Amino acid sequence: MKSFHNPRNTSTMTGFILLGFPCPREGQILLFVLFSAAYLLTLMGNASIICAVRWDQRLHTPMYILLANFSFLEIWYITSTVPNMLANFLSDTKVISFSGCFLQFYFFFSLGCTECLFLAVMAFDRYLAIGMPLHYPSIMTRRCCTNLVLGCWILGFLWFLIPIVIISKMSFCGSKIIDHFLCDPGPLLALTCKKTAVIELVISTLNALPLVILLIFIMGSYALILKAVLKVPSATGKRKAFSTCGSHLAVVSLFYGSVLVMYGNPTSKHESGIQKVVTLFYSVVTPLLNPVIYTLRNKDMKKALKKFLGK
């Protein structure tokens, strides 16, 4: 396990202190209640989508299978940060171990990368359904859908192996306080004994690269979708096509809009307050809103949820 060296004190530290949201005890309890409610609502919303897709035969299509996997991902994505955050609200020390910090870093960013991949695959699926409707059943087969799902999970968790290995091998000096509510690479690198611009640039680039590449892919898919929709002769067909894509576009905008502020520019620096607010938005608020967005704009999902909840 990595030790924490202080030039003035040779004692060995056992972890970091996640500062979180500093405020009086009453404020900490209020935040605990608010985030607990958000966490439970997120779990229930995404679990409902998974169950609806699982038990409604009409939803056993690639579009809804991808959505169910996406909801499963969102459950783990918010779980990688919120339970520890809730524990810190009630803790006096707010300490997280070295191994716990690096594991949180790895799972949070791996799940985030997996989410980017799923959003890209879902955009590709919508393009095939709208732009190539006759060939869609033969291209997006169950086997193809399964391979895409597995590919998202595998690539997402492989991508951040390099950053976590690099950071976990470093020595940390001075203050052990991380002014954040999770183990983010920026605050972690700021605590290293030896500041290396090359390593910081490599890690920042690895953070930004999948975001930029996959966003370009998503925008390209929607450009082709728009081109295909404009060729649809009837107004009803156009409305149906736009309605099918509307939910996904809203989720992409929410997630990428906030994430790109943080990691779109490899050399950008942000104040700790801005870091917390932006990270809070894409790590907690977005997973909470996604089930609402997908169910409110989808009649089939509404029917399936009513049927499931009715049981």
Side-chain angles (χ1 to χ4, degrees), residues 25-101:
R25 185 67 177 175
E26 294 77 11
Q28 295 283 312
I29 294 173
L30 177 60
L31 289 173
F32 175 83
V33 173
L34 290 175
F35 282 105
S36 294
Y39 181 56
L40 290 174
L41 287 172
T42 302
L43 295 183
M44 289 189 294
N46 285 287
S48 296
I49 289 178
I50 295 169
C51 293
V53 173
R54 172 65 179 83
W55 277 292
D56 195 321
Q57 293 292 330
R58 294 172 301 175
L59 301 185
H60 289 186
T61 62
M63 173 182 172
Y64 292 108
I65 291 172
L66 289 171
L67 177 57
N69 277 273
F70 186 75
S71 295
F72 180 72
L73 166 68
E74 291 289 66
I75 289 174
W76 288 107
Y77 189 51
I78 194 171
T79 300
S80 67
T81 57
V82 171
N84 184 73
M85 191 196 310
L86 294 176
N88 278 356
F89 286 139
L90 303 179
S91 171
D92 293 325
T93 60
K94 303 185 186 300
V95 173
I96 183 171
S97 66
F98 286 112
S99 57
C101 185

Side-chain angles (χ1 to χ4, degrees), residues 197-306:
V198 175
I199 291 179
E200 291 184 11
L201 182 61
V202 168
I203 292 175
S204 298
T205 303
L206 287 172
N207 286 344
L209 202 58
L211 290 173
V212 176
I213 292 174
L214 293 172
L215 180 60
I216 292 172
F217 180 85
I218 292 171
M219 293 299 100
S221 297
Y222 273 100
L224 294 173
I225 288 172
L226 180 61
K227 183 179 178 181
V229 170
L230 293 176
K231 293 181 180 179
V232 176
S234 66
T236 304
K238 290 181 180 179
R239 280 198 302 271
K240 185 177 180 181
F242 280 123
S243 177
T244 303
C245 300
S247 300
H248 184 257
L249 265 178
V251 172
V252 169
S253 301
L254 282 172
F255 182 76
Y256 269 96
S258 54
V259 172
L260 284 174
V261 171
M262 286 294 297
Y263 305 108
N265 183 358
T267 59
S268 64
K269 301 290 183 183
H270 302 282
E271 296 293 332
S272 61
I274 297 176
Q275 282 185 338
K276 293 177 190 178
V277 172
V278 176
T279 307
L280 194 66
F281 190 82
Y282 68 78
S283 64
V284 179
V285 177
T286 302
L288 174 64
L289 294 178
N290 286 351
V292 179
I293 294 171
Y294 277 115
T295 53
L296 285 180
R297 298 182 58 88
N298 192 303
K299 293 180 180 179
D300 292 334
M301 184 57 68
K302 284 182 184 178
K303 292 177 182 178
L305 281 174
K306 286 179 181 178

